Amino acid sequence: MINLSFSDVLAQFVKRSAYSAGQLAELSDVPKTTIISWMDGRVNRPRHHSDLLQLARALNLTSQETAVLLEAAGYAKTAEDIRQAPKESVQDSAAPFQAIPELPYFVGREEIIKDIQSQLSTADAQRICIIHGMGGIGKTTLVAHLAYRTRYLFPDGVLWGDVGHSEPMAILQAFAQAYGVDVSHYRDLASRSQVVRQLLADKRILLVLDDVWYSADLRHLLPPSTGAANVLITTRRNDLLASGAVHRIGLGLFDEDRPDSLALFQQRLGSAFVRREEEALKEIAHSLGHLPLAIAIIANHLALDPDWSVEYILKVLRQKQGTLADLAYDDQSVSLSFHVGYDSLPTEMKQFFMKLAVFQDRAFRPETAAFVTQISPDTARRFLRRLYTLSLVQVQGQPGEHNWRCYHLHPLMREFALEEAQKANVVHTARQQLARLPDARVNGRSHNSVTPLK
Ligand SMILES: Nc1ncnc2c1ncn2[C@@H]1O[C@H](COP(=O)(O)OP(=O)(O)O)[C@@H](O)[C@H]1O
Ligand SMILES: [Mg+2]
């Protein structure tokens, strides 16, 4: 870093850390205005080198890097002292930060963020938050956003395990490696997990376990419950770790009555576009059931694909057939996202799920589903509970309300079920059964944000 000014050197370290000036101020006890005056070059030689040392700690600088910063600030003698100091007395490696890149156009979720932050920031003992919701609803995006926003609270770093895609063995190795420890010679899960648990026991970390499907995996990945780790778990299952003392949050669709879907369009397309097409975009968001993944895909098409126009999308959505084929962009796909849970079902449950498409936009009770799909009410209840725990169907109403224990399908999930049904040719008899039903047996209330399929 020859000839770099103090502000240049500092700016590089700050950029690498991804901290904001406010977060650094909170972490280092150096006033925010002071940090800003250093960063923008108004002050070239800080008055107290102790402030710089505090900031260096907040930035997780190594001793070598701390010396570079001090030198650039004109404290050559102190820099030399640090270089000469015995290794143990200064921090020598930066805290790990394993979070996936943050979405540049994050919108909404303010209340949930506040809720989770209040859980995390007060933590002096282990805290676990489980965020559950259907595929594409924004769980991974939310925890990534939180990891960046709260990393300054975790001096020992942020660890990230993509449990949906990686084996626990590999995740544990990556956790250990983050602290320079190699556990690859522990070849069975139990012992590897034990070693990593010990390693994490007293660390103040944020641990993200994304896309968890089995409680058994958690047993191997969670740090000791006596530790100080904060854990964020995302899952489509709402019965995960049912017995633990955890804070559970159901993540919902973007709200029909709030501007989140439009805000996402605005982030990608600009305010002028959204003002011009507001009514059409509202209709699009409505027929996508306000699923963030679907909205993001359409926004990407509109932003980057010259063949796509608002009129074209409306035409496709109004046809209400074959929509899912169009709901893909690059590696984002609604259909693929839904497939992950669906593929894990046994055959008879798949058949049952497909037939539920005949209910279109109507809510239904287990007994009605049993009649239509020609299985026993007990089996239908069991199947629906299972589909619900996997976020493939949704429950309507709250305990005590008249429609409690009614189920419905998200409009895109229904489209997905219908496509699968057409492939498997199972929907015909279910339709006939539905026609035989007296009207009163279907819970006639429509799920509000849905237009019926043909
Ligand atoms: N709060 C949000 N702001 C902006 N876009 C979002 C938001 N939540 C989700 N998305 C969009 O939806 C996509 C799918 O979200 P993701 O977090 O992967 O869903 P999940 O993990 O629940 O399956 C994201 O890639 C992003 O484009
Ligand atoms: Mg995810």
Side-chain angles (χ1 to χ4, degrees):
M1 295 197 189
I2 299 157
N3 287 337
L4 283 184
S5 69
F6 169 59
S7 68
D8 289 338
V9 173
L10 181 59
Q12 282 188 8
F13 289 138
V14 172
K15 184 159 177 242
R16 184 187 71 181
S17 78
Y19 286 134
S20 68
Q23 289 173 335
L24 280 174
E26 206 157 319
L27 265 183
S28 64
D29 275 341
V30 178
K32 183 174 161 187
T33 46
T34 309
I35 296 176
I36 291 173
S37 71
W38 295 350
M39 283 173 64
D40 66 16
R42 269 179 294 145
V43 173
N44 285 315
R45 193 177 201 283
R47 208 168 311 149
H48 309 289
H49 77 274
S50 57
D51 286 349
L52 277 172
L53 288 172
Q54 274 162 247
L55 190 67
R57 261 193 296 278
L59 286 165
N60 287 313
L61 302 193
T62 62
S63 49
Q64 177 61 27
E65 291 167 341
T66 306
V68 170
L69 184 70
L70 281 161
E71 221 159 38
Y75 289 100
K77 169 82 176 65
T78 324
E80 200 44 42
D81 290 348
I82 286 182
R83 287 204 176 95
Q84 301 299 328
K87 278 274 179 265
E88 312 71 79
S89 67
V90 278
Q91 176 156 9
D92 252 304
S93 61
F97 185 69
Q98 297 183 333
I100 59 166
E102 196 181 13
L103 200 68
Y105 49 89
F106 187 89
V107 301
R109 308 299 195 195
E110 292 87 0
E111 277 138 44
I112 283 184
I113 289 173
K114 234 190 261 161
D115 179 17
I116 298 177
Q117 275 186 325
S118 72
Q119 291 291 318
L120 297 180
S121 51
T122 57
D124 44 10
Q126 189 188 71
R127 293 292 176 99
I128 302 180
C129 282
I130 299 188
I131 298 144
H132 65 84
M134 66 187 282
I137 211 155
K139 302 178 293 296
T140 303
T141 306
L142 175 67
V143 287
H145 185 72
L146 277 162
Y148 282 84
R149 242 180 114 117
T150 62
R151 63 179 295 191
Y152 72 98
L153 297 170
F154 304 105
D156 295 320
V158 175
L159 300 183
W160 185 286
D162 183 352
V163 188
H165 291 101
S166 306
E167 293 299 322
M169 284 292 270
I171 295 172
L172 288 168
Q173 167 69 3
F175 288 171
Q177 205 108 60
Y179 299 102
V181 177
D182 179 11
V183 291
S184 58
H185 52 288
Y186 293 93
R187 297 202 181 275
D188 67 291
L189 189 52
S191 22
R192 189 174 290 191
S193 136
Q194 194 177 15
V195 174
V196 173
R197 257 203 310 278
Q198 212 160 15
L199 178 69
L200 301 181
D202 56 355
K203 297 227 184 313
R204 285 197 62 98
I205 50 169
L206 178 68
L207 177 69
V208 177
L209 299 172
D210 186 34
D211 202 14
V212 176
W213 289 83
Y214 308 103
S215 299
D217 283 348
L218 286 181
R219 273 202 294 284
H220 297 295
L221 294 170
L222 283 177
S225 48
T226 49
N230 285 262
V231 187
L232 295 179
I233 295 169
T234 76
T235 179
R236 292 191 203 184
R237 295 188 47 168
N238 45 38
D239 61 345
L240 197 75
L241 256 196
S243 57
V246 298
H247 185 63
R248 266 168 218 286
I249 294 164
L251 191 60
L253 298 160
F254 280 161
D255 200 327
E256 171 93 1
D257 304 323
R258 293 186 26 178
D260 296 337
S261 295
L262 275 190
L264 208 165
F265 281 125
Q266 186 171 330
Q267 289 288 330
R268 301 295 284 129
L269 304 163
S271 0
F273 188 105
V274 171
R275 258 198 312 279
R276 206 169 54 241
E277 303 282 2
E278 185 166 338
E279 286 316 306
L281 291 174
K282 276 185 182 160
E283 183 181 337
I284 290 172
H286 176 82
S287 33
L288 297 174
H290 294 275
L291 182 70
L293 172 62
I295 309 261
I297 288 172
I298 291 293
N300 282 337
H301 274 299
L302 282 172
L304 305 166
D305 201 333
D307 292 337
W308 281 57
S309 64
V310 167
E311 294 71 37
Y312 171 72
I313 294 164
L314 280 175
K315 198 172 115 219
V316 172
L317 289 175
R318 283 174 186 154
Q319 282 167 0
K320 298 183 175 46
Q321 287 272 309
T323 316
L324 289 185
D326 281 315
L327 282 177
Y329 193 90
D330 202 10
D331 63 345
Q332 291 188 306
S333 153
V334 171
S335 178
L336 274 185
S337 164
F338 291 173
H339 256 297
V340 181
Y342 173 77
D343 289 349
S344 72
L345 299 176
T347 310
E348 67 272 34
M349 228 184 274
K350 279 186 182 156
Q351 300 249 330
F352 174 77
F353 171 73
M354 292 178 213
K355 291 175 189 167
L356 297 179
V358 299
F359 287 109
Q360 303 188 348
D361 62 338
R362 284 176 293 181
F364 51 88
R365 294 185 184 281
E367 303 74 44
T368 320
F371 180 82
V372 166
T373 60
Q374 297 175 289
I375 58 174
S376 76
D378 276 349
T379 311
R381 266 191 286 277
R382 189 161 56 78
F383 281 7
L384 281 168
R385 260 201 308 275
R386 176 84 185 129
L387 293 174
Y388 171 63
T389 59
L390 292 173
S391 299
L392 288 164
V393 300
Q394 290 166 298
V395 171
Q396 189 143 320
Q398 298 288 325
E401 288 176 10
H402 76 97
N403 58 352
W404 169 235
R405 288 192 60 250
C406 278
Y407 292 88
H408 71 265
L409 269 68
H410 182 274
L412 295 176
M413 198 57 93
R414 189 174 63 234
E415 172 94 6
F416 175 77
L418 195 66
E419 284 189 8
E420 291 300 307
Q422 277 158 352
K423 276 191 233 159
N425 206 14
V426 299
V427 83
H428 182 65
T429 40
R431 274 219 178 99
Q432 286 176 330
Q433 282 295 98
L434 186 71
R436 292 199 190 114
L437 262 182
D439 249 10
R441 295 206 32 201
V442 184
N443 186 292
R445 283 161 51 94
S446 289
H447 173 52
N448 51 12
S449 67
V450 177
T451 35
L453 278 176
K454 290 262 158 40

